[in-house]
Structures are given as C-alpha cells and as structure tokens.
Amino acid sequence: MAALVLFGGGGDLAMRMLLPSLYFLEHDGLLPDGLKIIGAARSEESRDEYVSKVRASVESKAKADDAWSPEAWARMEQRLDYLAVDATSAESLKPLKDKVGEGECTSFLAVSPSLYARIVTAMRAAGLAEPGDRVVLEKPVGRDLQTFSEIDDAVSDAFDEHQVFRIDHYLGKETVQNLIALRFGNTIFEPLWNNLSIDHVQITVGETVGVGDRWPYYDEYGALKDMLQNHMLQLLCLVAMEPPSDLDPDSVRNEKVKVLRSLRRITPEEAERVTVRGQYVAGKSEGEQVPGYDDERGLDSDTETFVAIRADIDNWRWAGVPFFMRTGKRLPEKRTEIVIQFKELPHSIFDNDRGQVTANRLVIELQPQEDISLSVMNKRPGLDQRMQLQPIRMSLSWGQDDKDAKPPRRRIAYERLLLDALNGDSTLFVRRDEAEQAWKWVDEVSQAWTDGNVKPIEYKAGTWGPGEADFLLERTGRAWNTKNG
Ligand SMILES: NC(=O)C1=CN([C@@H]2O[C@H](COP(=O)(O)OP(=O)(O)OC[C@H]3O[C@@H](n4cnc5c(N)ncnc54)[C@H](OP(=O)(O)O)[C@@H]3O)[C@@H](O)[C@H]2O)C=CC1
Ligand SMILES: O=C1O[C@H](COP(=O)(O)O)[C@@H](O)[C@H](O)[C@H]1O
C-alpha cells in the first residue's frame, strides 16, 4: 500500500492547501486506492486530535466551494493518520517507516527549508528514501545558488533526480498548463511566436496583500527571490521555450533550461537601466489605510517588495524582443497575467479618423480570472460612410460555450501537483539544473544591485510601484498593460 507523508502536516501550508487539495481529489475519486496519508510533526497529538483539526480546515474550504460530501470525508478520514516525529532524527523516523510499511512512499516536506538537508539525510537512514520513494520540496530551496546547491547536494545523496519533485505552485495553475496547450496544440500561433511578429512580452504578478507578519522570511528574500526567481521565470520559460518533441518531463524541462541559459546577464553597469527595485510605504490599499513595509518590519530595511526587470533572451527566436516582468506587494490589484504584444501594422490603410488601429495583443490571465483573450481590430457595425474601426477582445477560454453553465470549480494548484507527484510525473516540477540556472541569473542581478548600491525606491501602497517601472517601458516607446487593455 502506498503512503503520502506530510512532514509539517499540522502547519499552515498543509492545513490551508495540501489537505484541502487531497480532500478535493478524494471527492473526485482521483486518489490512488489504498493510499495512506500520514501527518508527521513534532507536536504530541493523537490521531483523533489531528483528524479533527484536518476536518475543520477541509470542511470550511469544501463548503465554501460547494463540494462538501460526508461520504468523501469518510473515505479521506479512513486514510488519515498522525505520528509525532522529529523529522531530522533517523531514530525518530523509524516508527514512521513501520507505519508506512513496504509500499511506495511520497514524502512532502512542508517544513522550513532550513531543515531539508537534515531531514532527507535522516529519511535515508530510516529507509524512507528507497528506490520507489519520492520527495516533494516546497520553495524556497536556498537563498542563492550556493545555499541551493548545499541543500540539493544532501537531497541528491538520498534520492535520484527522478525521485525529487521541486514544487513551483504556479506550474499547477490551470491557465499555465493551458498556455502549453495553446502554444503546442494549435498551428496558428507558432508561426507568429517569434521576433518577426511579437514586439515584446509582459509578465505581471500584482498582489494587494502586504508582507505583514511574514517579514522574518521575506526580509531575507525580497520580491526578486520570493517571486521572480521561481514563478516568474517559470512563466517566462513556458512562453519562450522551443516546442518540445513530446510531453515527457525531460523533453519539456530541457527546453526550459535552454531559455534560462539564454537569458542575457545583467551586469552592474546595466542594473540601473534594466531593473527597478521598490519598497512600499504607507498608503491606501483596497480602501484601507495600511502601513509601510518598514513599519511592519519595525526597522529600516533595504529589502525590495517590488521588482521590475527587462530580460532579454539571446537566441534566434527572441532576439530584439524584451520580456518585461514586474511583481510586488501592496499593488492596486491582485492580477497575474502574461501579455504577448504583437507588432504594429507595417502600413495602415485606415486614416486616424476611422478609429485608432491598435496592435494585436494576446492576454493570458491567470488571476483573478482564468482567461486567454486576443484583441483584434474589427469594423464597427453600421452604415457610416467612412468605415469605422474598433478593437474587440475575443475570449479563447474553455467552458464558455454554454454561458449559463456553472463554471467548473477552480482547483487549488496543489491538486494537480500532488496528483502528479503521487503518479511520479515530474513534468510540472522544477529540475535541478533549471533551479540552478534561475539562481545563477538572479544572483547576478542581486550582486549587481549590491555592487551598484541600487536601493529600493519608495512607492505608496496601492500604486503600481515606483514611477521608474513605467519609465522602464516608456523609454522604449511601450507601456504596461492596464486592466482594460
Ligand atoms: N504557508 C504557505 O502558504 C506557504 C508555505 N510555503 C513553504 O512551505 C513550508 C512550510 O511552511 P508553513 O506551513 O507556512 O510553515 P509552518 O511553520 O506553519 O509549519 C511548519 C510545520 O513544520 C513542523 N516541524 C517543524 N520542525 C519539525 C521537525 N523537526 N520535524 C517534523 N516537523 C517539524 C511544525 O510542527 P511542529 O512544531 O509540531 O513540529 C509545523 O507543522 C516552508 O518551506 C514554506 O516556505 C511555500 C508556499 C506557501
Ligand atoms: O510563493 C509565493 O506565492 C504567493 C503568491 O501566490 P499566488 O498563487 O497567490 O499568486 C506570494 O504571496 C508569496 O509571497 C510567495 O512566497
């Protein structure tokens, strides 16, 4: 019988994301038969206590999504177990190995990354890193290439690469996978997907939340390492990669690594021109007055809560096509999108008084809505003597045929990822060399900031970051996409 061990099974990630995801999979009949789910953390508590904590968390989430089923919960409850362990000690893990038994074991490390190296070493000694076993690692693995490598060396002493599943939860988002379908399941986009037709690409991950009491973690990372090193570079890779020969995990990941290797280095001389660091100060967010980052932190800090970067990919397909990325806390909207901006018409046959002709734009929206839309120019209906033009937005989203149908439940990204990890499919997980390349590029940016003494520029909470982020595009004759295109 197979087992899924959740180290840190009582923590925030497990209770808010992992266990509800497992419930939803159970609800939909997707969990493998006989799979045991074992929470493992140091707190001394009984199985019953653990199960009732899990139920409280799962039930409220499932009810909010109209997916609570006592039968599904009864099946999930049967699978659940708990054991108090110190996961860094092989001795302490032996009873866990007995509970797991001889079946395949997938261990999810939902604990502080500072424990990863010690935990995998203890797992190996306790027999929890056998050839059929797997380990799932949450981000952030390390703070830079060196610390990443130190942790990952310990991981690779215990597990072969095909047994290691490094999570980037953005890869579990439905629209991110849909991007793969859009690019490689259609013939019409690929001939245009290059520097002949595309002017530039924008990737925005805007959040309205502040850092709040997460600052002890955040202050060590900042927006560059918390968001850009992983989620945003993964999105960039999926937009920019060459078509893989198949959907085999290594075929996809080989292509992503090639993109990361082609990213132009950002030197200290370039840093001020192609990057913007920002930090929010007090302002209004979603109608409420909110404190600045330094006020939350209680001390002055040089950590950026906003970053905007122009990245260039030095290969044949993308030569001359800048990729602009921006992310930040306390921005005006929770909005995650990828914008593919096509080039202007080479020559317009329409005078300006017929309506402004705007270049085509493909917007892949991940949050708050999931949607893919293409803006195209269209004739305004009517009998005007002089034909008038207008841009229209064509939605390419799934499930839109029947407008009255209830949209499918929006899945938690971890549902897809947990299922794939249990099935041993690592396509949507990050391979070691991908993470290394991403760290290498980001480390250089970070070093360039240090060498060039580039400090965060203040921006008011509730705004789109420092004005310099707008200037990053404006000086190239471009502008960030706004909500309504
Ligand atoms: N929370 C979130 O939304 C997200 C979290 N993450 C990552 O997930 C990981 C966990 O985060 P989060 O859930 O927030 O953290 P928490 O602090 O809420 O939970 C950590 C868990 O680890 C357990 N733990 C600590 N030491 C040990 C040990 N030696 N042996 C066994 N269990 C131990 C703790 O329980 P006890 O004290 O009982 O041992 C607790 O259950 C981190 O890597 C974080 O960066 C990533 C993305 C989002
Ligand atoms: O990994 C992280 O992601 C969240 C944003 O995730 P999303 O799915 O809500 O877009 C971010 O808030 C957090 O700082 C970061 O660690």
Side-chain angles (χ1 to χ4, degrees):
M1 230 193 286
L4 171 64
V5 174
L6 300 178
F7 287 110
D12 181 70
L13 178 69
M15 285 295 168
R16 268 190 328 108
M17 297 287 173
L18 306 182
L19 288 152
S21 297
L22 289 164
Y23 166 81
F24 288 124
L25 293 174
E26 179 77 86
H27 179 271
D28 296 344
L30 295 171
L31 283 184
D33 285 345
L35 178 80
K36 299 184 251 186
I37 302 172
I38 307 171
R42 291 165 308 172
S43 302
E44 289 295 341
E45 57 188 359
S46 67
R47 175 185 179 273
D48 287 352
E49 286 167 327
Y50 182 65
V51 167
S52 54
K53 264 185 4 197
V54 175
R55 178 176 175 149
S57 162
V58 162
E59 189 171 347
S60 63
K61 235 184 167 95
K63 282 188 168 157
D65 272 352
D66 219 1
W68 176 249
S69 145
E71 295 76 33
W73 168 253
R75 292 197 304 274
M76 174 145 170
E77 189 176 353
Q78 289 280 311
R79 300 177 187 272
L80 283 172
D81 206 344
Y82 179 80
L83 194 67
V85 298
D86 173 359
T88 60
S89 146
E91 205 44 42
S92 172
L93 289 183
K94 287 203 173 127
L96 179 63
K97 171 65 186 169
D98 295 340
K99 238 184 215 306
V100 164
E102 289 312 308
E104 283 176 2
C105 178
T106 302
S107 297
F108 195 120
L109 305 196
V111 296
S112 162
S114 61
L115 301 177
Y116 287 176
R118 286 159 65 205
I119 293 181
V120 289
T121 307
M123 284 170 67
R124 182 166 72 148
L128 288 164
E130 297 299 306
D133 296 339
R134 302 181 186 115
V135 66
V136 184
L137 304 176
E138 251 304 337
K139 76 157 256 268
V141 183
R143 285 184 314 282
D144 50 27
L145 179 59
Q146 189 184 330
T147 47
F148 169 82
S149 304
E150 283 162 13
I151 296 171
D152 231 65
D153 286 348
V155 173
S156 59
D157 282 346
F159 293 93
D160 283 345
E161 180 61 27
H162 74 275
Q163 298 173 278
V164 183
F165 292 73
R166 294 177 199 82
I167 287 226
D168 184 310
H169 78 270
Y170 268 53
L171 296 181
K173 291 185 190 273
E174 192 68 21
T175 317
V176 173
Q177 295 159 64
N178 210 358
L179 173 59
I180 300 178
L182 181 88
R183 283 199 61 196
F184 306 124
N186 296 290
T187 52
I188 58 173
F189 294 108
E190 184 52 25
L192 306 176
W193 211 261
N194 54 47
N195 59 4
L196 297 179
S197 304
I198 294 178
D199 176 74
H200 74 278
V201 175
Q202 299 179 10
I203 303 176
T204 292
V205 182
E207 296 188 89
T208 51
V209 290
V211 174
D213 52 16
R214 281 183 79 213
W215 68 259
Y217 152 77
Y218 197 86
D219 211 51
E220 266 195 85
Y221 284 78
L224 178 70
K225 296 179 179 184
D226 181 49
M227 295 295 287
L228 198 129
Q229 187 272 344
N230 34 75
H231 307 321
M232 300 189 78
L233 285 183
Q234 284 294 325
L235 297 181
L236 175 141
C237 284
L238 293 174
V239 172
M241 71 183 184
E242 294 300 311
S245 52
D246 51 38
L247 262 188
D248 183 72
D250 279 330
S251 306
V252 175
R253 297 184 304 177
N254 288 343
E255 298 307 334
K256 289 198 281 166
V257 173
K258 285 185 208 161
V259 173
L260 292 166
R261 287 213 182 102
S262 311
L263 282 174
R264 189 179 303 162
R265 294 181 50 205
I266 293 179
T267 59
E269 298 71 51
E270 285 280 88
E272 203 110 39
R273 199 178 62 83
V274 298
T275 72
V276 179
R277 293 181 86 188
Q279 189 189 86
Y280 62 83
V281 294
K284 263 205 158 155
S285 173
E286 300 183 306
E288 303 248 317
Q289 188 63 32
V290 293
Y293 178 71
D294 279 350
D295 310 323
E296 290 171 332
R297 164 92 175 76
L299 264 182
D300 285 357
S301 159
D302 280 345
T303 299
E304 78 285 349
T305 59
F306 175 95
V307 62
I309 291 196
R310 172 193 166 133
D312 286 273
I313 300 173
D314 285 330
N315 66 16
W316 200 310
R317 186 188 286 264
W318 296 113
V321 181
F323 281 64
F324 296 102
M325 295 179 274
R326 65 173 169 173
T327 183
K329 305 275 186 210
R330 288 282 185 228
L331 301 188
E333 291 165 48
K334 167 100 179 152
R335 175 148 62 94
T336 305
E337 66 179 18
I338 303 168
V339 175
I340 313 292
Q341 178 63 59
F342 290 92
K343 291 195 164 167
E344 302 281 349
L345 292 178
H347 164 74
S348 177
I349 60 170
F350 304 106
D351 310 330
N352 276 346
D353 64 352
R354 293 171 189 272
Q356 181 80 39
V357 178
T358 51
N360 302 114
R361 181 174 276 198
L362 182 70
V363 180
I364 300 153
E365 191 179 344
L366 282 72
Q367 293 171 146
Q369 310 303 330
E370 295 180 327
D371 189 24
I372 298 183
S373 66
L374 180 65
S375 72
V376 291
M377 291 309 295
N378 193 262
K379 177 188 172 300
R380 185 174 295 156
L383 298 177
D384 301 273
Q385 246 182 349
R386 289 171 64 73
M387 181 169 63
Q388 296 295 307
L389 298 181
Q390 62 180 4
I392 57 154
R393 219 178 118 259
M394 289 164 49
S395 173
L396 311 180
S397 279
W398 33 254
Q400 301 284 311
D401 288 350
D402 179 358
K403 295 281 179 224
D404 297 328
K406 192 176 162 210
R409 182 179 65 80
R410 194 164 166 185
R411 288 191 181 274
I412 306 172
Y414 285 95
E415 292 178 50
R416 161 95 272 152
L417 298 174
L418 280 163
L419 199 56
D420 285 358
L422 289 169
N423 290 326
D425 181 348
S426 52
T427 312
L428 297 177
F429 295 82
V430 181
R431 204 170 58 189
R432 179 171 179 152
D433 51 349
E434 274 181 80
E436 283 170 347
Q437 284 301 326
W439 275 124
K440 210 166 157 186
W441 190 74
V442 159
D443 279 358
E444 282 182 347
V445 175
S446 189
Q447 191 60 47
W449 285 345
T450 309
D451 294 350
N453 201 22
V454 179
K455 301 281 184 212
I457 304 164
E458 291 182 354
Y459 64 96
K460 266 198 168 155
T463 65
W464 278 105
E468 282 75 358
D470 294 331
F471 191 52
L472 185 68
L473 273 77
E474 278 164 16
R475 67 166 168 259
T476 69
R478 300 171 171 109
W480 292 106
N481 187 39
T482 54
K483 198 174 190 174
N484 302 313

